[in-house]
Amino acid sequence: GQECIENVNYGMKFLEDSKQDFIIADNFSQKEQENAKNNLKILKMVKKALETSKIISYFQPIVSNATQEVVKYESLVRLIDEKGKIISPFYFLDIAKKGKYYAQITAMVLENSFKALGKTDKVITINISALDIEKPTTRTKIFELLNQHKALANRLVFELLEDEDVRNFDDIHEFISQVKEYGVKIAIDDFGAGYSNFERLLKYQPDILKIDGSLVKYIETDAYSLSVVKTIVSFAKEQKIELVAEYIENENIFNILKNLGVEYSQGYYFGKPD
């Protein structure tokens, strides 16, 4: 009886969260408990990694299409588990966002990235979400680091991630204005994928757009992808915004984008994050 009630309760919650009308609620509480157990395991792994400085940054090269030389690096978070295995953010970042460790992960990534800025003469790109900007401790950390590294800030790009949970556009707009005073550039990630992009563009006035990987991936064979990218290139040229294409996986994709007028490329064709 109790398990049946639990199944119904978990099922109702799932329907509410996933906005579905109908599901089979068999063994639902058991599945949820397994989920919770798995999440707890991941949070313990994150806690351990934070305590032992095992949250690290990998850097993926971004090349100039004109010269094919590396001009920038994107800072990408990784976790080293107790067995020394490198774990991708796909497995832990969303779960960490629900717990208290997310801000600590961000702080560590920021420190790693600013440190890298001092070891290279290239541009470093750091991913920032609305959640980061809205969190006072993270905002304070960013400006502390900017003040410590003022002379290097003009080689820094903050890449704003697509985030549907943005509660306050004004906060983000204000943050952008403040960091731009240090010479920091603003990029918008995954451009061309969501309906909110143009609205955000008007508000954020970015220096760089990163073309969504799903458009780049299929540009060789999909006429729709090609058409959307052409429109983005034309729009960016008009607004004097630089373009970076992600997911460049072969020479043909690189050539198509270069010929369309995209300035920078990032992807396995030029180098994996390391």
Side-chain angles (χ1 to χ4, degrees):
Q2 183 60 34
E3 195 184 321
C4 181
I5 292 165
E6 275 187 25
N7 273 332
V8 171
N9 287 338
Y10 280 120
M12 293 297 284
K13 186 176 183 323
F14 181 83
L15 282 175
E16 204 176 297
D17 292 347
S18 62
K19 297 182 173 58
Q20 292 181 36
D21 296 324
F22 173 78
I23 49 162
I24 307 290
D26 190 29
N27 288 334
F28 219 82
S29 67
Q30 196 183 330
K31 283 174 196 160
E32 280 294 317
Q33 280 159 12
E34 278 167 22
N35 244 346
K37 211 184 287 179
N38 188 45
N39 288 358
L40 196 60
K41 202 170 123 190
I42 290 166
L43 286 173
K44 277 182 181 169
M45 178 180 75
V46 169
K47 182 175 186 278
K48 187 81 180 158
L50 284 163
E51 286 167 355
T52 54
S53 298
K54 292 291 172 69
I55 298 289
I56 61 166
S57 289
Y58 270 21
F59 293 91
Q60 185 170 26
I62 298 170
V63 306
S64 156
N65 287 349
T67 63
Q68 290 195 41
E69 284 175 11
V70 175
V71 287
K72 313 180 191 193
Y73 288 97
E74 182 177 357
S75 174
L76 299 161
V77 67
R78 297 289 185 269
L79 182 152
I80 305 173
D81 72 7
E82 287 177 283
K83 292 174 185 161
K85 192 178 167 203
I86 306 286
I87 312 290
S88 153
F90 175 79
Y91 295 102
F92 66 87
L93 208 55
D94 279 348
I95 291 158
K97 275 181 185 175
K98 293 176 184 131
K100 59 182 177 183
Y101 301 123
Y102 178 69
Q104 288 170 257
I105 293 172
T106 304
M108 216 165 255
V109 168
L110 286 164
E111 283 189 8
N112 294 340
S113 306
F114 273 86
K115 218 173 275 177
L117 203 57
K119 291 178 181 172
T120 179
D121 59 353
K122 312 292 185 211
V123 171
I124 298 281
T125 295
I126 306 172
N127 293 309
I128 300 274
S129 69
L131 198 63
D132 296 321
I133 295 168
E134 287 169 359
K135 210 169 190 59
T137 52
T138 303
R139 260 205 324 270
T140 302
K141 181 79 182 169
I142 288 169
F143 287 106
E144 264 174 25
L145 287 164
L146 282 172
N147 284 316
Q148 280 168 31
H149 301 85
K150 265 185 179 162
L152 308 177
N154 63 339
R155 283 194 288 110
L156 199 60
V157 175
F158 283 143
E159 191 172 310
L160 300 182
L161 304 171
E162 175 71 273
D163 200 330
E164 286 164 20
D165 301 328
V166 177
R167 286 184 292 279
N168 195 334
F169 278 113
D170 293 338
D171 279 359
I172 295 168
H173 189 262
E174 188 190 346
F175 172 82
I176 289 169
S177 301
Q178 287 171 340
V179 298
K180 278 191 170 190
E181 284 174 21
Y182 289 83
V184 174
K185 287 192 163 69
I186 296 295
I188 287 188
D189 193 33
D190 295 339
F191 189 77
Y195 65 88
S196 65
N197 283 302
F198 283 93
E199 182 194 351
R200 285 200 303 158
L201 257 194
L202 295 171
K203 286 188 165 72
Y204 298 167
Q205 297 184 318
D207 307 284
I208 301 157
L209 295 179
K210 290 191 88 170
I211 301 168
D212 183 62
S214 65
L215 295 169
V216 174
K217 245 180 181 175
Y218 304 111
I219 201 162
E220 294 172 282
T221 52
D222 181 46
Y224 173 77
S225 294
L226 181 62
S227 174
V228 173
V229 172
K230 278 181 179 171
T231 304
I232 292 170
V233 171
S234 155
F235 172 78
K237 297 278 178 225
E238 208 173 288
Q239 300 297 322
K240 297 182 172 52
I241 297 171
E242 290 181 346
L243 288 171
V244 179
E246 297 180 282
Y247 283 90
I248 306 290
E249 289 176 356
N250 62 49
E251 190 180 358
N252 195 29
I253 292 176
F254 165 71
N255 285 327
I256 291 168
L257 288 150
K258 183 185 173 184
N259 293 334
L260 285 175
V262 175
E263 291 94 343
Y264 301 100
S265 290
Q266 179 177 358
Y268 283 8
Y269 179 61
F270 292 105
K272 296 183 181 186
D274 59 26

